[in-house]
Amino acid sequence: MSLLTDLLNLNLSETTEKIIVEYIWIGGSGMDLRSKARTLDGPVNDPAKLPKWNYDGSSTGQAPGEDSEVILYPQAIFKDPFRRGNNILVMCDTYTPAGEPIPTNKRYNAAKIFSNPAVAAEVPWYGIEQEYTLLQKDVNWPLGWPVGGYPGPQGPYYCSIGADKSFGRDIVDAHYKACLYAGINISGINGEVMPGQWEFQVGPSVGISAGDELWVARYILERITEIAGVVLSFDPKPIKGDWNGAGAHTNYSTKSMRNDGGYEVIKKAIDKLGLRHKEHIAAYGEGNERRLTGRHETADINTFKWGVANRGASIRVGRDTEKNGKGYFEDRRPASNMDPYVVTSMVAETTLLWKP
């Protein structure tokens, strides 16, 4: 008699050419990932060769009940670490039946910015540091914390090891390997300052692919926490008080910044970002004011400042960048629940297209 796990692990390629495609999209809240699967006749490696599909937008807060159909346009393919074999995950964006992007489709405008010749010529690279918190399922309290109580103060937990300091490593390592299997350019992981909080990094990724890869990495992480019976939180300040919040620091460079003389280009770009500080903050995630207090390695939300190796700044420039006269900088303002399509394209637009 087969066990459930035996059936889940069946290798379809032994008996059929057919594959399972998991269509992924972003729901009406801007953070709720949704997905559903369908069978196709054989392997596919080009999103343009995948059929468009539809879903009930009235059930995701994206369409009225009397005209509920939303169309999924496949945009990026990844190997499926859950079903494996030739099965795939596909990141989609969302349109009306007439072909207009629906209001919650942030990828559409990002793709327009990244396809602008002035932006494309600069080959913008992104490295996104995605922080998140693992919560105990029934109490929504951080993993490893005593229920209704608090652990010892911050200090021993950052990049820690040990059963009394590090909570959820099995989930984190499973996610790391699953992302590499999927073809996501995940570049590392670490335990964060608050116990039960972790970070993974995606990048360097070019242009629109940074958003695609981060969203699918989030999807894979939430699927893994589902299996583990743990709740995933991207809240930028999950616990009030003297605890670090959760951000999505966004590292950025252009070809001009990476070449000789790039430090001067970086400084001019930072000046532009400062002039549009309020506009960026408004687009950098919900609840970010609870995180950007000027404490816990952040700048105050109403203040824009930059510095070399300054983790309390809005923009941090690394020592190596200053020393080499070229490189990248880090925008520390985005919250953990930011939309990477919005943040990456906005940074490119402000630094490469906007004229003060």
Side-chain angles (χ1 to χ4, degrees):
M1 175 66 73
S2 291
L3 298 174
L4 185 59
T5 52
D6 295 330
L7 297 172
L8 285 170
N9 291 325
L10 281 174
N11 182 356
L12 298 181
S13 62
E14 292 178 355
T15 58
T16 180
E17 287 290 311
K18 292 183 178 182
I19 66 165
I20 301 171
V21 182
E22 192 79 27
Y23 282 62
I24 303 167
W25 71 96
I26 302 159
S29 76
M31 276 302 290
D32 55 319
L33 282 162
R34 312 280 180 137
S35 75
K36 61 177 183 172
R38 67 185 296 173
T39 306
L40 294 184
D41 287 336
V44 180
N45 55 22
D46 179 356
K49 294 180 179 177
L50 288 168
K52 294 172 184 174
W53 206 9
N54 63 74
Y55 67 93
D56 171 19
S58 69
S59 296
T60 62
Q62 293 173 295
E66 64 273 13
D67 187 13
S68 67
E69 193 168 283
V70 179
I71 312 301
L72 294 166
Y73 284 33
Q75 298 291 358
I77 288 175
F78 300 87
K79 290 177 67 65
D80 186 340
F82 303 103
R83 296 188 177 106
R84 289 171 285 183
N86 292 321
N87 305 299
I88 56 175
L89 308 174
V90 56
M91 190 66 204
C92 304
D93 62 352
T94 46
Y95 296 80
T96 68
E100 295 294 320
I102 68 172
T104 55
N105 181 352
K106 306 303 182 185
R107 191 187 191 281
Y108 178 79
N109 282 328
K112 284 204 301 185
I113 290 168
F114 285 121
S115 64
N116 184 296
V119 175
E122 282 288 346
V123 195
W125 288 5
Y126 296 91
I128 302 173
E129 304 171 33
Q130 176 68 71
E131 295 177 341
Y132 61 93
T133 308
L134 298 173
L135 304 176
Q136 300 168 57
K137 182 181 176 184
D138 295 327
V139 292
N140 271 6
W141 197 239
L143 202 64
W145 290 37
V147 176
Y150 295 86
Q154 293 182 159
Y157 310 109
Y158 173 68
C159 296
S160 65
I161 59 170
D164 57 339
K165 297 180 288 293
S166 180
F167 313 111
R169 190 183 299 277
D170 53 349
I171 292 169
V172 174
D173 274 352
H175 175 249
Y176 197 172
K177 287 187 173 181
C179 284
L180 286 170
Y181 179 94
I184 292 167
N185 193 22
I186 185 170
S187 48
I189 56 99
N190 61 268
E192 266 306 328
V193 177
M194 188 181 87
Q197 199 168 69
W198 293 81
E199 173 183 300
F200 67 87
Q201 303 96 31
V202 166
S205 301
V206 178
I208 196 71
S209 65
D212 290 336
E213 291 185 24
L214 190 71
W215 273 116
V216 175
R218 285 173 170 177
Y219 174 85
I220 291 171
L221 180 56
E222 192 151 16
R223 285 281 304 273
I224 291 171
T225 57
E226 172 191 323
I227 293 166
V230 170
V231 173
L232 172 63
S233 173
F234 290 114
D235 191 298
K237 187 72 173 180
I239 303 295
K240 293 179 182 179
D242 198 19
W243 303 97
N244 272 34
H249 301 156
T250 300
N251 300 276
Y252 171 69
S253 71
T254 63
K255 184 188 289 186
S256 296
M257 294 174 190
R258 297 187 291 269
N259 290 339
D260 290 344
Y263 193 35
E264 292 305 312
V265 179
I266 286 172
K267 288 193 284 188
K268 289 176 183 176
I270 293 172
D271 287 342
K272 282 186 170 184
L273 289 168
L275 293 173
R276 297 185 84 187
H277 177 63
K278 287 185 178 178
E279 190 175 341
H280 278 254
I281 286 292
Y284 273 17
E286 293 294 323
N288 211 9
E289 71 283 351
R290 293 183 281 114
R291 167 181 163 262
L292 295 181
T293 61
R295 301 179 64 207
H296 306 109
E297 301 183 7
T298 71
D300 182 87
I301 195 168
N302 296 312
T303 303
F304 181 88
K305 61 181 180 179
W306 73 276
V308 176
N310 182 357
R311 294 188 179 278
S314 313
I315 305 289
R316 181 187 68 85
V317 175
R319 290 283 182 208
D320 284 347
T321 296
E322 181 187 42
K323 178 182 175 182
N324 298 331
K326 58 185 176 182
Y328 71 97
F329 64 83
E330 174 192 49
D331 191 340
R332 296 179 61 81
R333 297 171 295 173
S336 50
N337 60 1
M338 64 80 156
D339 187 325
Y341 294 135
V342 173
V343 170
T344 58
S345 62
M346 198 172 192
V347 169
E349 182 192 25
T350 294
T351 59
L352 295 174
L353 300 177
W354 183 64
K355 307 294 183 186

